Amino acid sequence: MNISFLNIKSEDKSIWDTVDPQNYGVLLLSQILRDEGHKVSIHNNKTIKGKLEKIARESDAVCFSFFTSGANTAYKVSKNIRELSPGKPIIMGGIHPSNFPKEALNYSDFVIRKEGEIALPRLINTLERGLDDFSDILNLSYKSGGRIKNNPSAEMIEDKSILQISPARDLDPNKKTLNRIPVLTCGRGCPYNCNFCSNIFGRKMRLNDPEWVVEEVQKIIKNNYSGLGNVIFFGSDNFAANRQWAKDVLTLSIKKNLAGKICYHVQTRTDIARDQELLDLMKPFVTRDYIGVESFDDEVLKDLDKGISAEKMKEQLLTIINNGIPVHTHLICGTNYDTAEKIHKTVETAKDIGAYAISLFTLTPFPGTKLRWKMHNEDRIITNNWDNYNLHHVTVAPLIDRPSNIQRAVVDGYKNFYSLNGVYKNLKKMPNPVALLYGLSLWNAFRKYNLNSHIEFLKNWEEKRYDRNNELIK
């Protein structure tokens, strides 16, 4: 069969358009289907322009993958395909369809929930044989007789012969763009239970073998799949959750003489500061460590159950930075006890400790999270427009400050940190000169990014939801 994958993002401009990381899951599924003899192509928002009619006509099935912020755009494209080629099987997967299969089935014929490496090939082969019995395909949701059928969920995949298949990077539509960033999965699962995260891969970690990981790094280098700066992003919520595994990967990278040939972007927690051996191994490779700091305010950290004080957080971050590892701090704005003033102080603290980049993520009630149910039950969700679920827009009401104030603080915080002077001060010491270009591109993106219309929307919402004492009406 001729299978087309559509990796769809929101049509709305985003700050994150400055980088273009791969969708690892789509690449892996593409290789699995290709190994079974199917013809596979991958498209994105840019490559479908002017080609959608051809894709709809020539494909035997069209598979969509998207995050929540891309849902509206994906549904629009799906509707167009149905109009161009009625009866064409449309399959949706990814985090958003996994959590909202009923919604996704309004725009598709099938939804594969959670892991699709076994379910999707079975579905494609069933369609190829012209059969209409899908009842034995685990993780599958579909319509039958006008009713939605949700087949039982499968156990999480443990088979490394599946998880360690080399993805079809040669099919990546962005493989020649300068800002491309190849993604390399460390494994699946996260042991933590953050209420703002939708973890569809379970809490048990299933790590790929260090030898396989380093072999994939070598393939990326050999085939020039990395973009400007020779960067690989390790797709794991915590690269060092298993410290020995991380050390094995880095030690093997050194043995293979990869230092200087490739840069690793990873995500960790501040507690790596307690492991000097790990820091020493990270230094030759890691040119960006994304760390979920969330805030430098003790009241906010306590509300988020971080289990660490602001002072200890700063101490550990300084240790990491002083060991030559550039830190990109992830900060959450708009929590229960957050205020515009606290956000301002947090940004200033990030500058003072020497973080070279920040992300001011707005607290977002994503589908499938405990946070969403809590905010729904407390009637604090401001909007369900998925376009606004891109971590830029305030979508829930905090307890002690107005949403519009939080939104303005986010915009001002970005402009403060990514001023030309700030970019120069924070990035001139970077070991990789490409980081300076990255910082300048972010400065340019934040300079252009405009959230004024959303701020006005929030102010209108507030008129009916706050009393004269400036307290939220429940």
Side-chain angles (χ1 to χ4, degrees):
M1 293 183 73
N2 186 356
I3 312 299
S4 293
F5 279 93
L6 273 58
N7 183 29
I8 300 298
K9 297 193 297 184
S10 173
E11 290 179 334
D12 287 0
K13 288 291 183 180
S14 169
I15 291 169
W16 313 123
D17 290 339
T18 54
V19 294
D20 209 347
Q22 294 173 330
N23 186 323
Y24 187 89
V26 166
L27 298 179
L28 178 57
L29 290 168
S30 295
Q31 187 59 49
I32 290 173
L33 291 178
R34 195 161 61 172
D35 288 343
E36 294 198 357
H38 301 289
K39 182 180 178 181
V40 182
S41 60
I42 304 175
H43 308 271
N44 58 24
N45 295 54
K46 295 178 182 178
T47 61
I48 64 173
K49 290 182 178 179
K51 298 180 181 179
L52 196 59
E53 184 175 355
K54 181 180 179 181
I55 293 170
R57 183 179 67 251
E58 297 182 356
S59 302
D60 296 310
V62 180
C63 302
F64 283 78
S65 177
F66 52 91
F67 293 107
T68 297
S69 60
N72 290 343
T73 303
Y75 296 154
K76 179 181 176 181
V77 174
S78 176
K79 183 179 178 181
N80 290 339
I81 290 176
R82 279 183 161 173
E83 292 173 351
L84 291 166
S85 185
K88 186 77 63 180
I90 294 177
I91 306 164
M92 291 186 172
I95 292 178
H96 189 84
S98 291
N99 286 304
F100 275 6
K102 182 178 179 181
E103 176 188 275
L105 283 170
N106 290 322
Y107 307 91
S108 65
D109 303 292
F110 305 95
V111 168
I112 293 180
R113 310 182 312 273
K114 301 180 180 179
E115 295 178 311
E117 287 78 12
I118 294 175
L120 181 59
R122 291 195 63 185
L123 174 60
I124 294 297
N125 291 334
T126 301
L127 292 171
E128 185 176 35
R129 288 181 289 162
L131 304 177
D132 59 3
D133 183 4
F134 310 103
S135 59
D136 62 344
I137 302 176
L138 301 180
N139 286 359
L140 184 68
S141 295
Y142 59 101
K143 288 182 179 179
S144 177
R147 300 180 62 185
I148 292 177
K149 297 289 186 69
N150 293 307
N151 290 351
S153 297
E155 295 292 326
M156 293 298 173
I157 298 172
E158 301 274 357
D159 187 351
K160 288 186 177 180
S161 69
I162 296 175
L163 297 178
Q164 295 187 171
I165 291 174
S166 187
R169 298 189 191 277
D170 59 303
L171 298 180
D172 180 14
N174 295 324
K175 64 183 178 182
K176 294 184 178 180
T177 60
L178 288 177
N179 64 339
R180 66 188 182 277
I181 298 180
V183 175
L184 178 54
T185 184
C186 304
R188 293 184 180 172
C190 177
Y192 305 106
N193 194 29
C194 301
N195 73 346
F196 51 80
C197 181
S198 175
N199 180 4
I200 65 172
F201 293 131
R203 296 182 68 180
K204 179 183 178 182
M205 295 191 68
R206 296 160 285 154
L207 293 170
N208 290 333
D209 297 331
E211 294 78 10
W212 180 85
V213 171
V214 175
E215 285 177 7
E216 286 297 306
V217 172
Q218 292 176 299
K219 290 178 184 178
I220 290 171
I221 296 173
K222 179 181 178 180
N223 293 288
N224 194 30
Y225 286 137
S226 59
L228 190 65
N230 295 322
V231 170
I232 293 176
F233 176 72
F234 279 81
S236 172
D237 291 330
N238 188 352
F239 175 77
N242 183 315
R243 300 276 179 84
Q244 190 57 52
W245 180 90
K247 292 176 183 178
D248 290 344
V249 168
L250 295 167
T251 299
L252 192 55
S253 297
I254 292 172
K255 289 181 179 178
K256 297 294 184 179
N257 297 314
L258 300 183
K261 298 178 182 178
I262 198 74
C263 301
Y264 294 165
H265 286 185
V266 301
Q267 298 180 97
T268 70
R269 293 162 68 95
T270 58
D271 58 8
I272 64 169
R274 300 197 297 262
D275 194 328
Q276 188 61 48
E277 180 187 9
L278 177 59
L279 295 177
D280 291 339
L281 288 169
M282 290 174 66
K283 186 175 180 179
F285 295 99
V286 177
T287 57
R288 188 179 307 167
D289 187 358
Y290 297 92
I291 298 181
V293 174
E294 323 313 1
S295 177
F296 289 110
D297 180 85
D298 281 320
E299 188 176 25
V300 173
L301 290 173
K302 183 178 180 180
D303 184 51
L304 290 172
D305 293 324
K306 289 294 289 185
I308 187 172
S309 67
E311 196 59 38
K312 189 66 176 179
M313 182 86 75
K314 288 186 284 186
E315 177 188 321
Q316 292 182 342
L317 284 169
L318 282 170
T319 297
I320 297 168
I321 293 169
N322 291 336
N323 272 272
I325 299 170
V327 168
H328 182 139
T329 56
H330 284 174
L331 306 166
I332 296 180
C333 304
T335 57
N336 284 333
Y337 302 104
D338 216 349
T339 65
E341 179 61 24
K342 288 180 180 180
I343 293 171
H344 172 73
K345 289 181 178 179
T346 285
V347 171
E348 289 298 319
T349 301
K351 290 168 63 177
D352 291 342
I353 65 171
Y356 94 92
I358 62 169
S359 294
L360 296 171
F361 291 148
T362 53
L363 187 69
T364 305
F366 286 110
T369 63
K370 291 184 291 184
L371 174 68
R372 183 169 185 82
W373 292 115
K374 177 178 173 61
M375 294 296 100
H376 172 77
N377 291 336
E378 296 178 6
D379 195 23
R380 290 166 58 189
I381 296 178
I382 297 172
T383 177
N384 283 313
N385 178 357
W386 302 136
D387 289 337
N388 293 334
Y389 279 55
N390 59 2
L391 299 173
H392 301 335
H393 298 75
V394 173
T395 54
V396 296
L399 292 178
I400 60 174
D401 204 345
R402 292 199 173 202
S404 61
N405 294 336
I406 298 296
Q407 187 70 76
R408 175 57 66 187
V410 169
V411 174
D412 291 344
Y414 273 131
K415 289 181 178 179
N416 176 6
F417 192 92
Y418 290 106
S419 65
L420 273 178
N421 185 51
V423 168
Y424 175 73
K425 284 184 177 180
N426 286 320
L427 300 183
K428 65 181 181 179
K429 57 189 177 183
M430 290 293 296
N432 182 357
V434 173
L436 179 59
L437 296 176
Y438 172 75
L440 289 173
S441 67
L442 281 177
W443 167 80
N444 190 48
F446 289 122
R447 182 176 63 86
K448 292 180 178 180
Y449 201 64
N450 191 321
L451 284 168
N452 288 337
S453 61
H454 190 65
I455 291 174
E456 289 304 311
F457 165 78
L458 293 174
K459 287 181 177 179
N460 291 333
W461 183 87
E462 291 164 358
E463 289 181 1
K464 299 178 181 179
R465 294 303 310 272
Y466 285 84
D467 60 23
R468 295 179 179 179
N469 296 321
N470 207 32
E471 292 184 358
L472 181 67
I473 300 172
K474 295 186 179 180

